[in-house]
mmCIF file with all atom_site columns, all heavy atoms in Angstrom:
data_model
loop_
_atom_site.group_PDB
_atom_site.id
_atom_site.type_symbol
_atom_site.label_atom_id
_atom_site.label_alt_id
_atom_site.label_comp_id
_atom_site.label_asym_id
_atom_site.label_entity_id
_atom_site.label_seq_id
_atom_site.pdbx_PDB_ins_code
_atom_site.Cartn_x
_atom_site.Cartn_y
_atom_site.Cartn_z
_atom_site.occupancy
_atom_site.B_iso_or_equiv
_atom_site.pdbx_formal_charge
_atom_site.auth_seq_id
_atom_site.auth_comp_id
_atom_site.auth_asym_id
_atom_site.auth_atom_id
_atom_site.pdbx_PDB_model_num
ATOM 1  N N   . VAL F 1 72 ? 106.187 99.802  115.763 1.00 86.00 ? 99  VAL F N   1
ATOM 2  C CA  . VAL F 1 72 ? 106.441 100.975 114.943 1.00 86.00 ? 99  VAL F CA  1
ATOM 3  C C   . VAL F 1 72 ? 106.413 100.551 113.480 1.00 86.00 ? 99  VAL F C   1
ATOM 4  O O   . VAL F 1 72 ? 107.240 99.748  113.039 1.00 86.00 ? 99  VAL F O   1
ATOM 5  C CB  . VAL F 1 72 ? 107.810 101.609 115.279 1.00 86.00 ? 99  VAL F CB  1
ATOM 6  C CG1 . VAL F 1 72 ? 108.011 102.879 114.467 1.00 86.00 ? 99  VAL F CG1 1
ATOM 7  C CG2 . VAL F 1 72 ? 107.918 101.905 116.770 1.00 86.00 ? 99  VAL F CG2 1
ATOM 8  N N   . ASP F 1 73 ? 105.441 101.061 112.733 1.00 84.00 ? 100 ASP F N   1
ATOM 9  C CA  . ASP F 1 73 ? 105.336 100.767 111.303 1.00 84.00 ? 100 ASP F CA  1
ATOM 10 C C   . ASP F 1 73 ? 106.214 101.770 110.564 1.00 84.00 ? 100 ASP F C   1
ATOM 11 O O   . ASP F 1 73 ? 105.898 102.958 110.493 1.00 84.00 ? 100 ASP F O   1
ATOM 12 C CB  . ASP F 1 73 ? 103.879 100.891 110.867 1.00 84.00 ? 100 ASP F CB  1
ATOM 13 C CG  . ASP F 1 73 ? 103.694 100.633 109.372 1.00 84.00 ? 100 ASP F CG  1
ATOM 14 O OD1 . ASP F 1 73 ? 104.521 99.912  108.803 1.00 84.00 ? 100 ASP F OD1 1
ATOM 15 O OD2 . ASP F 1 73 ? 102.726 101.172 108.804 1.00 84.00 ? 100 ASP F OD2 1
ATOM 16 N N   . ILE F 1 74 ? 107.330 101.297 110.028 1.00 79.00 ? 101 ILE F N   1
ATOM 17 C CA  . ILE F 1 74 ? 108.330 102.174 109.422 1.00 79.00 ? 101 ILE F CA  1
ATOM 18 C C   . ILE F 1 74 ? 108.199 102.147 107.901 1.00 79.00 ? 101 ILE F C   1
ATOM 19 O O   . ILE F 1 74 ? 107.995 101.090 107.299 1.00 79.00 ? 101 ILE F O   1
ATOM 20 C CB  . ILE F 1 74 ? 109.757 101.750 109.848 1.00 79.00 ? 101 ILE F CB  1
ATOM 21 C CG1 . ILE F 1 74 ? 109.870 101.807 111.378 1.00 79.00 ? 101 ILE F CG1 1
ATOM 22 C CG2 . ILE F 1 74 ? 110.812 102.639 109.210 1.00 79.00 ? 101 ILE F CG2 1
ATOM 23 C CD1 . ILE F 1 74 ? 111.174 101.242 111.926 1.00 79.00 ? 101 ILE F CD1 1
ATOM 24 N N   . ALA F 1 75 ? 108.317 103.317 107.291 1.00 67.00 ? 102 ALA F N   1
ATOM 25 C CA  . ALA F 1 75 ? 108.125 103.442 105.836 1.00 67.00 ? 102 ALA F CA  1
ATOM 26 C C   . ALA F 1 75 ? 108.993 102.468 105.056 1.00 67.00 ? 102 ALA F C   1
ATOM 27 O O   . ALA F 1 75 ? 110.114 102.136 105.458 1.00 67.00 ? 102 ALA F O   1
ATOM 28 C CB  . ALA F 1 75 ? 108.442 104.877 105.400 1.00 67.00 ? 102 ALA F CB  1
ATOM 29 N N   . GLY F 1 76 ? 108.478 101.996 103.924 1.00 60.00 ? 103 GLY F N   1
ATOM 30 C CA  . GLY F 1 76 ? 109.151 100.979 103.124 1.00 60.00 ? 103 GLY F CA  1
ATOM 31 C C   . GLY F 1 76 ? 110.536 101.376 102.642 1.00 60.00 ? 103 GLY F C   1
ATOM 32 O O   . GLY F 1 76 ? 110.761 102.480 102.166 1.00 60.00 ? 103 GLY F O   1
ATOM 33 N N   . LEU F 1 77 ? 111.453 100.445 102.751 1.00 62.00 ? 104 LEU F N   1
ATOM 34 C CA  . LEU F 1 77 ? 112.831 100.646 102.307 1.00 62.00 ? 104 LEU F CA  1
ATOM 35 C C   . LEU F 1 77 ? 112.971 100.173 100.868 1.00 62.00 ? 104 LEU F C   1
ATOM 36 O O   . LEU F 1 77 ? 112.304 99.235  100.440 1.00 62.00 ? 104 LEU F O   1
ATOM 37 C CB  . LEU F 1 77 ? 113.759 99.862  103.233 1.00 62.00 ? 104 LEU F CB  1
ATOM 38 C CG  . LEU F 1 77 ? 115.250 99.772  102.918 1.00 62.00 ? 104 LEU F CG  1
ATOM 39 C CD1 . LEU F 1 77 ? 116.026 99.666  104.218 1.00 62.00 ? 104 LEU F CD1 1
ATOM 40 C CD2 . LEU F 1 77 ? 115.557 98.552  102.059 1.00 62.00 ? 104 LEU F CD2 1
ATOM 41 N N   . VAL F 1 78 ? 113.874 100.826 100.112 1.00 55.00 ? 105 VAL F N   1
ATOM 42 C CA  . VAL F 1 78 ? 114.182 100.376 98.758  1.00 55.00 ? 105 VAL F CA  1
ATOM 43 C C   . VAL F 1 78 ? 115.688 100.270 98.602  1.00 55.00 ? 105 VAL F C   1
ATOM 44 O O   . VAL F 1 78 ? 116.450 100.785 99.411  1.00 55.00 ? 105 VAL F O   1
ATOM 45 C CB  . VAL F 1 78 ? 113.631 101.344 97.690  1.00 55.00 ? 105 VAL F CB  1
ATOM 46 C CG1 . VAL F 1 78 ? 112.115 101.373 97.704  1.00 55.00 ? 105 VAL F CG1 1
ATOM 47 C CG2 . VAL F 1 78 ? 114.205 102.743 97.878  1.00 55.00 ? 105 VAL F CG2 1
ATOM 48 N N   . LYS F 1 79 ? 116.110 99.583  97.561  1.00 58.00 ? 106 LYS F N   1
ATOM 49 C CA  . LYS F 1 79 ? 117.526 99.469  97.276  1.00 58.00 ? 106 LYS F CA  1
ATOM 50 C C   . LYS F 1 79 ? 118.121 100.857 97.075  1.00 58.00 ? 106 LYS F C   1
ATOM 51 O O   . LYS F 1 79 ? 117.590 101.685 96.344  1.00 58.00 ? 106 LYS F O   1
ATOM 52 C CB  . LYS F 1 79 ? 117.749 98.615  96.025  1.00 58.00 ? 106 LYS F CB  1
ATOM 53 C CG  . LYS F 1 79 ? 119.204 98.266  95.759  1.00 58.00 ? 106 LYS F CG  1
ATOM 54 C CD  . LYS F 1 79 ? 119.318 97.282  94.608  1.00 58.00 ? 106 LYS F CD  1
ATOM 55 C CE  . LYS F 1 79 ? 120.771 96.870  94.383  1.00 58.00 ? 106 LYS F CE  1
ATOM 56 N NZ  . LYS F 1 79 ? 120.891 95.902  93.264  1.00 58.00 ? 106 LYS F NZ  1
ATOM 57 N N   . GLY F 1 80 ? 119.219 101.135 97.769  1.00 52.00 ? 107 GLY F N   1
ATOM 58 C CA  . GLY F 1 80 ? 119.855 102.447 97.689  1.00 52.00 ? 107 GLY F CA  1
ATOM 59 C C   . GLY F 1 80 ? 119.469 103.377 98.820  1.00 52.00 ? 107 GLY F C   1
ATOM 60 O O   . GLY F 1 80 ? 119.855 104.547 98.823  1.00 52.00 ? 107 GLY F O   1
ATOM 61 N N   . ALA F 1 81 ? 118.721 102.863 99.812  1.00 46.00 ? 108 ALA F N   1
ATOM 62 C CA  . ALA F 1 81 ? 118.290 103.715 100.927 1.00 46.00 ? 108 ALA F CA  1
ATOM 63 C C   . ALA F 1 81 ? 119.474 104.322 101.660 1.00 46.00 ? 108 ALA F C   1
ATOM 64 O O   . ALA F 1 81 ? 119.433 105.468 102.098 1.00 46.00 ? 108 ALA F O   1
ATOM 65 C CB  . ALA F 1 81 ? 117.436 102.905 101.899 1.00 46.00 ? 108 ALA F CB  1
#
Side-chain angles (χ1 to χ4, degrees):
V99 183
D100 178 26
I101 301 173
L104 174 149
V105 295
K106 189 173 183 180

